[in-house]
Amino acid sequence: VAINSCRLINESGTLINNVSASGGTCFDFNTSNILFDCAGFNVTSNPVGVMAFNITTFVVGTTQINLSNITIKNCNIFNFSIGINISSAVNITLWNNNITNVTDGIWLNNTAGSVLENNTVNATARYGLFLSNSSNNTLNSNNISSVLDASLYLLGSNNNVLNNNTAKSLNGYAISVGSSSNNNILTGNTGTSINSNGIYFSASSNNNLTGNT
């Protein structure tokens, strides 16, 4: 279907114009098996919005439903606290999204089996890409930057694969593999920080590093 404004998403669709929120969340999802294509259009907010996209547990009556098999691609996201929030979901794909002027770029919380590829994130305050208690995800060829905190941060996240990502931070770690983040594979990633460490590990084990700089 054609989508021309912020709304609840319960079917696949394509943006047909730029859309703007008024300070809240632009797109909430309540259905699995969705393809959402921004087709290169902008998703913005004035004033600063909460989230551009929110994929999280959906409650029907007293039943909690975890969403799965959702793709978000080709979006330009500006002026939100969180660009894309994913919580308690599986098999989510984020591809070719450009996220700028956000406090946090992408959050994955309790999320598994997802693929993030060819996304560009510029976080003005905190994390560019944050994985919390999220395992068995694949991050390929993302370009991530932040100012205050880690650009790419794993916390309590295991068995993830990070390939050919570029992370830059002004004051935080570029790539941080934090507490209880084990058995992750990092290959060909580049981490650069002006005032901290490029790649940093803390209280984690059995992570495999190859060809990172």
Side-chain angles (χ1 to χ4, degrees), residues 82-122:
I82 301 174
I84 300 175
N85 179 66
I86 303 169
S87 182
S88 300
V90 295
N91 297 329
I92 306 300
T93 299
L94 305 179
W95 184 77
N96 198 39
N97 300 293
N98 184 11
I99 304 171
T100 60
N101 196 32
V102 292
T103 304
D104 295 283
I106 300 171
W107 275 29
L108 269 66
N109 181 46
N110 292 319
T111 294
S114 297
V115 177
L116 283 65
E117 185 168 4
N118 200 37
N119 300 286
T120 298
V121 179
N122 183 4

Side-chain angles (χ1 to χ4, degrees), residues 75-87:
C75 300
N76 297 311
I77 297 169
F78 307 94
N79 212 36
F80 288 86
S81 293
I82 301 174
I84 300 175
N85 179 66
I86 303 169
S87 182

Side-chain angles (χ1 to χ4, degrees), residues 2 12 23 28 48 53-54 76 81-82 90 98 100 114 118 120 136 147 156 158 175 183 189 209:
S12 294
D28 278 303
V48 174
F53 291 87
N54 184 36
N76 297 311
S81 293
I82 301 174
V90 295
N98 184 11
T100 60
S114 297
N118 200 37
T120 298
N136 301 301
V147 175
N158 305 311
I175 299 173
N183 303 306
N189 302 285
L209 283 75

Side-chain angles (χ1 to χ4, degrees), residues 139-211:
L139 283 60
N140 289 331
S141 302
N142 299 287
N143 193 327
I144 308 157
S145 64
S146 66
V147 175
L148 297 179
D149 283 308
S151 291
L152 201 167
Y153 183 29
L154 276 63
L155 179 65
S157 297
N158 305 311
N159 303 304
N160 297 288
V161 176
L162 285 66
N163 293 323
N164 301 314
N165 299 285
T166 300
K168 300 177 182 178
S169 181
L170 178 61
N171 295 310
Y173 306 123
I175 299 173
S176 179
V177 180
S179 178
S180 301
S181 295
N182 307 316
N183 303 306
N184 297 289
I185 300 174
L186 287 74
T187 304
N189 302 285
T190 300
T192 305
S193 178
I194 303 301
N195 296 313
S196 188
N197 300 97
I199 302 176
Y200 179 79
F201 290 82
S202 175
S204 57
S205 63
N206 297 320
N207 294 291
N208 188 320
L209 283 75
T210 305

